[in-house]
Amino acid sequence: MEPLFYLVDPSKRLFFIYLASALAMGLVVSLGQKKSLMRTFQDLIHPKIWLHRSTSLDFQLMFTNSALRILLFLFISVSSVGVARVVVSELNDLIPGFQAFTLSHSNLLILYTIASFVVIDFFRFYQHYLFHKISFLWRFHEIHHSAEVMTPMTLYRTHPVESLISSLRQVLVLGVFTGVFIFMTQSMISAYVIFGVNALDFAFNFFGSNLRHSHIWVSFGLLNYIFVSPAQHQIHHSRSVKHHDKNLGFSLAIWDLLFGTFYKVKTKEFIIYGVRGRAHKNMKQALLTPFSRQNPNQGGVS
């Protein structure tokens, strides 16, 4: 029952501080748009959203993925620390006598904090890019896009196959990067952390990350070219053809700019969420459809 502890786990998007900050930001933005307080709360906690069958499936997949991940790692013992140790050992054998870069401890902390954040964010983007562009992978990612309403739990609306790939990617990328960093600096180092989480990840989660999967439109203006705003991610979930395969980034928008998937947010747009014809009404349908469909929609085209 791991998800029951997400509220007190700073590494999870559902950490109570992140939820509280998103709620506060949503209230401020909505009131700034001259909505009534009642309308604002309806946008955030309306029963039609939270009691929707799509939200129910979000919860079911969150618990299912958690249980499967725990079960899997009982049999596969792999961690970022273990990967880093292997990388350091192999590099020491491959390049004996390597002269490490000399930096002060504080500079190493800053460098590792920023570099690890950027590297991990790129590979999250690139995995997302592949899941949109490769037909077979889209079959699994389509489950996430089939959400008809958006809540913070929609983040966990993923097929177990995609969840597994994401977990392994996270372990391998962080492990390899950390191993290379330790080898090049010959220093045991970690990132600046807040509650045990990379300070930049904490900041991203604190400043409205939970509004990405919501009906509250928040744009960062010119900063949309640097950081992915909730509005940009809501565009990503739109059924509209002009929004397909756009704004694939997680934290940084630079990857979308480089890969040609950036969609410029100007003013609030009318959005219908989901994938036409792919509502996934129950858990069985969500889990089995990717294996049974002969001609899956490609990259979000509905």
Side-chain angles (χ1 to χ4, degrees), residues 6-10 12-22:
Y6 285 0
L7 285 171
V8 293
D9 184 350
K12 302 298 183 182
R13 187 84 64 82
L14 298 183
F15 182 47
F16 76 96
I17 290 180
Y18 305 149
L19 291 173
S21 65

Side-chain angles (χ1 to χ4, degrees), residues 143-286:
I143 306 303
H144 181 67
H145 278 269
S146 69
E148 299 169 275
V149 296
M150 302 273 272
T151 76
M153 263 55 68
T154 306
L155 170 69
Y156 300 97
R157 183 194 180 95
T158 57
H159 192 282
V161 169
E162 180 177 358
S163 181
L164 170 61
I165 292 173
S166 296
S167 295
L168 292 176
R169 181 260 308 153
Q170 176 75 4
V171 166
L172 291 174
V173 170
L174 181 58
V176 171
F177 173 78
T178 301
V180 171
F181 192 92
I182 291 173
F183 171 75
M184 294 184 69
T185 62
Q186 295 298 304
S187 301
M188 295 301 295
I189 200 69
S190 63
Y192 276 113
V193 297
I194 300 175
F195 293 130
V197 178
N198 183 306
L200 295 178
D201 283 317
F202 185 92
F204 169 74
N205 288 331
F206 184 84
F207 289 105
S209 65
N210 280 303
L211 295 178
R212 292 157 62 92
H213 294 109
S214 78
H215 296 254
I216 303 296
W217 179 271
V218 178
S219 173
F220 294 159
L222 290 176
L223 288 179
N224 284 334
Y225 288 98
I226 303 174
F227 304 108
V228 179
S229 68
Q232 286 171 283
H233 194 72
Q234 289 162 17
I235 287 291
H236 175 68
H237 275 268
S238 169
R239 284 188 183 185
S240 177
V241 173
K242 67 179 180 179
H243 297 150
H244 288 164
D245 297 343
K246 299 299 183 182
N247 296 342
L248 299 168
F250 282 80
S251 302
L252 301 175
I254 185 175
W255 317 125
D256 283 306
L257 290 166
L258 291 174
F259 280 73
T261 54
F262 183 84
Y263 181 90
K264 184 177 180 180
V265 172
K266 298 178 181 178
T267 57
K268 185 174 182 179
E269 299 190 32
F270 177 74
I271 297 176
I272 298 177
Y273 296 120
V275 179
R276 191 171 292 111
R278 300 286 186 261
H280 299 107
K281 298 178 181 179
N282 54 55
M283 176 71 81
K284 179 179 179 181
Q285 198 177 76

